Amino acid sequence: MLEITSLKKVYEDGTLAVDDLNLRVEAGETFVLLGANGAGKTSTIMLILGFTEPTSGTVTVKGVDVQKDPLAAKKLIAYVSENVTLYGNFTAKQNMEFFAKLSGRKDVTDDEYRAVFKRVGMADNAYQRRVSGFSKGMRQRLGIAIAILKNAELIVLDEPTSGLDPKGGFEFLEIIGGLRAENKAVFMSSHDIFRAKAIADRVGIMRSGRLLEVLDRQVLETRDLQQVYLESMAQIAAGATSANIDD
Ligand SMILES: Nc1ncnc2c1ncn2[C@@H]1O[C@H](COP(=O)(O)OP(=O)(O)OP(=O)(O)O)[C@@H](O)[C@H]1O
Ligand SMILES: [Mg+2]
């Protein structure tokens, strides 16, 4: 489904944000990219979406190159950003309608809107309310609803749980579980080791643009993810020190 090959991003100011990334995510698989601030998670997501141009390497979704054929690629991908962009003067329903139509879905019935709204844990009485009064968590849920409505095969989320309270975070796990059951591929970034472990089929640990480790379900069930994460960070820190001395 998603295939990332030898992907590298060096920004104009010389910052190396993504360094030789190779990764595949299959349909029905949830992949969580863990990493500290500045690790390169958002940069990776921008490259997957085709929003920024790689320095080298490729990203394809179902064989479609996101740089060469951006319009075809965009149809296959739904994106939920950290700060979901919504129209404050529109109601929740109107926002869903607007974005569903924008993504080419003109056939959505009121029942389907309501069902998706419910699926992301939104209360009925918020359906016809203006979004300007919504909390961050509500906006995030609505963003996920919009992504579900697009019915894309790959769903990309940048720190989707950052604004959610514990109950919201738990419900989010269920929503992602539902997407997996529909055979969607999910690629998300997170700082949250606990939720990553609960939700992911595989977890990647990124630091300084490099994917240090990829842990599958079996490893996640047998090893302490926090420990593995901290060890990866420590090893790389030690490596970086010796590299600096060699310089
Ligand atoms: N537009 C840009 N121009 C130059 N450098 C950038 C740009 N965007 C990001 N960077 C740098 O690239 C590196 C990776 O940043 P990125 O935002 O991808 O990390 P992140 O893992 O998403 O971090 P966070 O957890 O804080 O969201 C950082 O050093 C950052 O300062
Ligand atoms: Mg980020």
Side-chain angles (χ1 to χ4, degrees), residues 11 13 15 17 35-43 159 191:
Y11 286 108
D13 64 358
T15 305
N37 294 123
K41 303 179 298 297
T42 299
S43 299
E159 291 185 37
H191 290 139

Side-chain angles (χ1 to χ4, degrees), residues 148-173:
I148 291 173
L149 281 163
K150 185 170 178 184
N151 205 15
E153 303 193 43
L154 170 65
I155 297 159
V156 176
L157 309 102
D158 198 357
E159 291 185 37
T161 57
S162 64
L164 300 180
D165 59 31
K167 181 167 170 282
F170 176 75
E171 285 169 3
F172 177 79
L173 300 182

Side-chain angles (χ1 to χ4, degrees), residues 14 21 30-31 44 66 69 85 89 109 126 142 150 156 165 183 193 199 215 220-221:
L21 179 62
T30 298
F31 186 93
T44 301
V66 301
D69 201 350
T85 311
N89 281 331
T109 60
L142 190 51
K150 185 170 178 184
V156 176
D165 59 31
N183 210 35
I193 290 180
I199 208 171
L215 314 170
L220 291 171
E221 270 155 25

Side-chain angles (χ1 to χ4, degrees), residues 58-100:
T58 56
V59 176
T60 64
V61 180
K62 277 191 117 182
V64 177
D65 187 312
V66 301
Q67 283 297 321
K68 287 188 186 138
D69 201 350
L71 289 179
K74 280 187 176 73
K75 291 200 177 109
L76 299 167
I77 311 173
Y79 169 51
V80 183
S81 70
E82 217 178 326
N83 294 298
V84 179
T85 311
L86 299 162
Y87 291 93
N89 281 331
F90 284 10
T91 65
K93 159 83 189 288
Q94 286 168 337
N95 270 280
M96 287 194 288
E97 223 170 356
F98 175 79
F99 286 105

Side-chain angles (χ1 to χ4, degrees), residues 28-30 119 144 147-148 152 155 157 174-186:
E29 187 179 28
T30 298
R119 181 169 163 189
I144 295 166
I148 291 173
I155 297 159
L157 309 102
E174 294 188 324
I175 295 168
I176 298 294
L179 295 173
R180 181 195 285 116
E182 288 173 7
N183 210 35
K184 307 288 188 194
V186 176

